[in-house]
């Protein structure tokens, strides 16, 4: 493997010497040699900086505000002569710290595992065949192929280059692409060698073949990787809101605790140490210390569920944005459609052919008047198929196993052309050997054409061109029909355009094919001097291929979901206006079959105000260049929309970065697009975007459910203490400090985790998108937590306390303040809160829908949490050692019967409230 200095030295040597030194050839390595080199040099990846010390991460959980309060509280308890209480408080602190660390660790593991699901690939020559491998398996000496949009994954030297432009901004900060060539030239500045490519950069245009000189940490990018890995990531809006919410609740808790401390000292005349411990219980009750790690875990679980639905979210922060999405700007091909391009008609100026079969297997024929064609009798058709095959960068790997699909190394449109030719016996490998390629003028969105220059056996060259009909006709001066080659006429143009229009109305897209032969003496010695304008002129039109890409079967339900959810879908495609309108109407994106279509040409001259006005009605965009998506996305954002935008090409990257959620295609997308995106679709399916939005809404709702649940028990814990203070101690404390800590840090947290894994609530996609200004802690959350669930819990727990005292003779005898009656009464209060919370965690599973619709016990994590909650309660009540620490005791059968009856009425009372809300909303919507 070459180091950086050796790489630059090699660049100045002839290709043959470089290949010899790297012990490789133009056709690459053998598989066995590649395996040996992989074992020697290691995977082609940048080693990550050491993560934060796990010990520091662990200890962080014991130095938070609440943790410090508990450490201090334990010290004061011990000083005040209550060592058991002090040690118990510390033990609770340790358990809480371990639990928080586990949540963070689990969330991080989930995030790390997602990154492993985002592999990058590179096309290399192995065993003299072009294959696709994981980029980590690339080794020095590998010969690999590049095209526009590919990430360059090794320091390499060019062996071939066709109009190659490389974006080196990741290394140089310079946004202007660098032109690359096979000949060495030093260039100006760093990384400017004309024939060297560097890892971490990307191909902006053109194609090339290169030999890897250095991989992994031995690359130039590897040297500077540590500089990029030390940057701290800014907190997301959701994290900032959670931190602010925690601070606000903490300040409120301290104020309440201080007030309770003063009242306990001044009204009840508690000793200051005992009053501090009492106030500490109130403070801990109101501080949601486990909020952030639990929410992080909930986000990670949501992202994992999205991955199972073919949507890989690169950052947890993106989940919150998905729930706010109001507009989806979607490509047509492969996203709304199946991306199974199949040519089914070939139009020649004098004849039309039918092409049978579907998909990327040559399982059909080219037919004329119902009979398979003989190419010997159809020379014009043979020329059409050969030119379409030569002007093509895509290859199709046949299935390796039964039931597998063919693997595309390139684009679906080019694959359709390859398969079309195969059906008549024209094979790409054979044609390329017969007519070797000399140069390629790659496709670009401006001219909408691609050309290759191929050598003919007699020394002359053939220029092969394919592209959109209109842009190709502009370069044609002749046409080939059954009488041979002649000048193109206005009537010829009309017939070709009518054919394209007829195909478009049927939802078919077309690709025109043209060529020109140039005599050997007229071919420039230096082909690099032959530019596009000189090559693509005086062409001979051969015909056009019409191909179908049917809508995905699941698209209809996905589109309906978007309409129900008030999410607007705007098609942005490079296809013709007629095709775009036809497909949009077919899959119900638009309600008007004559919807307005804005073309790329019109968009170029439209002012921002005109575009904003156009967005007020249904519209679609056609013949739009990828770079024009940026204008569409930014205008929508200026109008206050939250935009998700799809893309797969290198020119889509600016729009993907600009969008609130950039969505790249995982199958057909370029490395540049994937890098720019926030989310990658592993199936390139529009329905997966909708599923991800639904999951984003669900995750946010689940966080609110979690908040509602952990806050409502605070009221049930506080009210008994308020009774104690208001009665000036006549009503002994119904809950001790240790019992309050048990509820907050022990029994409550486990069922709450189950709420983070809750599935989508029925009707969630029938609601409008959440406003960006909306907050987690809404009036509705506060009302349900404090004014409804909390109130019910307070009544139930207080009733349990007085019920036990009644069995001991109250009100004829005073309320017990010590001894067995007091322990039994406080245990009953603790147990009543826990039993009430079991009903509340089920109630919190939905906001307004009936839990019966979900299945009351369908969330197994909640079921496990409830079981664990009961188990903890029983252990506290019946294990002697813990009885002394938590001041608990066993309950009799009558008291257990009281507890068992609590969840049922609490559950049905909330179901009745939800039914009233649903009835009211239904009545007001009429």
């Amino acid at each position: 493997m070459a180091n950086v200095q050796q790489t630059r030295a090699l660049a100045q040597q002839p290709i043959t010497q470089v290949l010899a030194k790297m012990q490789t050839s133009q056709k690459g390595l053998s598989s066995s040699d590649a395996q040996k080199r992989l074992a020697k040099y290691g995977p082609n990846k940048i080693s990550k900086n050491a993560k934060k010390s796990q010990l520091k991460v662990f200890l962080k959980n014991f130095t938070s505000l609440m943790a410090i309060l508990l450490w201090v509280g334990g010290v004061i308890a011990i000083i005040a002569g209550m060592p058991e209480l002090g040690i118990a408080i510390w033990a609770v602190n340790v358990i809480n710290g371990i639990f928080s660390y586990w949540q963070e660790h689990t969330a991080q593991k989930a995030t790390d595992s997602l990154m492993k699901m985002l592999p990058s690939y590179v096309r290399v020559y192995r065993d003299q065949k072009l294959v696709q491998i994981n980029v980590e398996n690339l080794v020095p000496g590998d010969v690999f192929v590049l095209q526009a949009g590919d990430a360059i994954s090794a320091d390499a030297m060019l062996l071939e280059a066709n109009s190659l432009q490389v974006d080196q901004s990741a290394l140089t900060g310079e946004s202007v692409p660098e032109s690359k060539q096979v000949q060495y030239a030093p260039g100006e500045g760093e990384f400017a060698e004309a024939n060297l490519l560097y890892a971490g950069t990307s191909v902006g245009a053109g194609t090339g073949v290169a030999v890897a000189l250095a991989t992994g940490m031995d690359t130039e990018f590897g040297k500077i990787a540590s500089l990029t890995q030390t940057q701290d990531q800014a907190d997301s809006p959701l994290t900032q809101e959670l931190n602010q919410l925690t601070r606000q609740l903490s300040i409120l808790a301290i104020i309440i605790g201080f007030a309770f401390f003063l009242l306990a000292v001044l009204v009840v005349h508690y000793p200051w140490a005992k009053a501090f411990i009492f106030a500490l219980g109130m403070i801990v009750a109101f501080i949601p210390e486990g909020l952030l790690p639990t929410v992080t875990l909930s986000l990670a679980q949501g992202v994992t569920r999205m991955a199972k639905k073919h949507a890989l979210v690169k950052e947890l922060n993106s989940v919150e944005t998905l729930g706010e999405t109001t507009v989806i700007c979607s490509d047509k091909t492969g996203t709304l459609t199946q991306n199974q391009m199949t040519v089914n008609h070939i139009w020649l100026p004098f004849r039309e052919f039918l092409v049978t079969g579907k998909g990327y297997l040559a399982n059909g024929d080219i037919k004329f008047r119902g009979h398979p064609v003989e190419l010997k009798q159809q020379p014009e058709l043979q020329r059409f198929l050969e030119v379409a095959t030569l002007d093509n960068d895509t290859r199709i790997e046949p299935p390796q196993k039964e039931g597998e699909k063919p693997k595309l190394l390139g684009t679906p449109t080019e694959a359709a052309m390859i398969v079309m030719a195969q059906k008549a016996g024209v094979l790409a490998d054979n044609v390329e050997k017969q007519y070797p390629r000399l140069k390629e003028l790659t496709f670009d969105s401006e001219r909408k054409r691609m050309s290759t220059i191929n050598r003919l056996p007699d020394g002359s060259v053939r220029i092969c061109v394919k592209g959109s009909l209109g842009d190709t006709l502009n370069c044609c001066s002749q046409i080939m029909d059954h009488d041979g080659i002649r000048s193109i006429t206005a009537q010829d143009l009309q017939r070709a355009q009518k054919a394209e229009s007829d195909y478009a109305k049927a939802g078919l897209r077309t690709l025109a094919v043209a060529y020109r032969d140039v005599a050997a003496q007229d071919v420039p010695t230096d082909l690099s001097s032959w530019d596009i304008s000189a090559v693509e002129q005086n062409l001979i039109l051969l015909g056009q291929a019409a191909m179908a890409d049917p809508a995905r079967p699941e698209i209809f339900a996905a589109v309906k979901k978007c309409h129900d959810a008030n999410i607007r879908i705007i098609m942005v495609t490079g296809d013709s206006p007629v095709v775009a309108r036809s497909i949009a109407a077919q899959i119900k994106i638009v309600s008007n079959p004559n919807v307005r279509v804005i073309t790329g040409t019109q968009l170029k001259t439209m002012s921002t105000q005109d575009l904003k006005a156009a967005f007020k009605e249904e519209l679609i965009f056609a013949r739009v260049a990828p770079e024009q998506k940026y204008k569409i996305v930014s205008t929508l954002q200026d109008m206050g929309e939250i935009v998700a935008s799809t893309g797969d090409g290198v020119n889509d990257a600016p729009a993907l970065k600009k969008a609130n959620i950039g969505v790249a295609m995982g199958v057909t997308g370029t490395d540049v697009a994937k890098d720019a995106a926030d989310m990658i679709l592993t199936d390139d399916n529009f329905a997966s975007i909708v599923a991800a939005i639904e999951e984003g809404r669900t995750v946010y709702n689940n966080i609110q459910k979690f908040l509602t649940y952990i806050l409502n028990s605070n009221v049930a814990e506080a009210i008994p203490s308020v009774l104690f203070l208001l009665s000036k101690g006549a009503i002994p404390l119904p809950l001790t400090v240790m019992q309050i800590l048990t509820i907050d840090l022990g029994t409550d947290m486990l069922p709450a985790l189950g709420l983070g894994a809750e599935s989508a609530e029925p009707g969630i996609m029938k609601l409008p998108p959440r406003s960006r200004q909306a907050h987690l802690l809404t009036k509705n959350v506060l009302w349900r937590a404090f004014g409804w669930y909390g109130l019910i819990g307070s009544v139930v727990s207080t009733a349990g306390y007085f019920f036990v005292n009644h069995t001991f003779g109250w009100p004829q005898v005073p309320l017990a303040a010590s001894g067995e009656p007091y322990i039994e009464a406080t245990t009953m209060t603790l147990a009543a809160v826990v039993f009430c919370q079991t009903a509340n965690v089920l109630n919190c599973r939905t906001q307004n829908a009936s839990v019966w619709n979900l299945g009351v016990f369908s969330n197994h994590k909640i079921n496990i949490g409830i079981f664990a909650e009961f188990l903890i309660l029983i252990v506290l009540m019946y294990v002697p050692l813990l009885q002394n620490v938590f001041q608990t005791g066993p309950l009799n059968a009558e008291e257990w019967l009281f507890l068992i009856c609590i969840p049922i009425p609490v559950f049905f009372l909330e179901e009745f409230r939800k039914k009233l809300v649903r009835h009211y909303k239904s009545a007001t919507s009429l």
Side-chain angles (χ1 to χ4, degrees), residues 1-3 7 10 18-19 21-25 28-30 33-45 124-126 133 135-144 153-157 210-219:
M1 183 187 291
N3 58 32
T7 296
L10 285 172
V18 174
L19 292 174
K21 286 187 177 181
M22 297 304 296
Q23 297 181 324
T24 186
S25 70
L29 302 170
S30 66
D33 193 10
Q35 281 298 117
K36 291 175 185 176
R37 297 190 188 202
L38 185 63
K40 179 179 179 180
Y41 298 118
N44 178 34
K45 61 180 182 180
V124 303
Y125 284 103
R126 292 276 175 90
I133 64 169
V135 74
E136 290 191 5
N137 296 328
L138 188 73
V139 296
D142 261 326
V143 174
F144 59 98
S153 45
D155 286 355
M157 187 174 117
V211 58
L213 303 179
T215 58
M217 293 303 290
D218 289 301
T219 63

Side-chain angles (χ1 to χ4, degrees), residues 771-814:
S771 167
R772 177 142 278 197
Q773 282 70 47
H775 294 289
L776 280 170
L777 202 60
T778 63
K779 291 180 181 179
N780 185 46
V781 170
L782 288 171
W783 150 246
R784 290 175 66 211
F786 294 141
W788 181 241
Y789 292 148
L791 181 63
I792 293 172
S794 300
V795 172
V796 170
S797 60
T798 304
Y801 172 78
F802 283 106
F803 173 76
V804 171
N805 275 282
H806 179 68
T807 62
F808 281 97
W810 178 82
Q812 283 74 28
V813 298

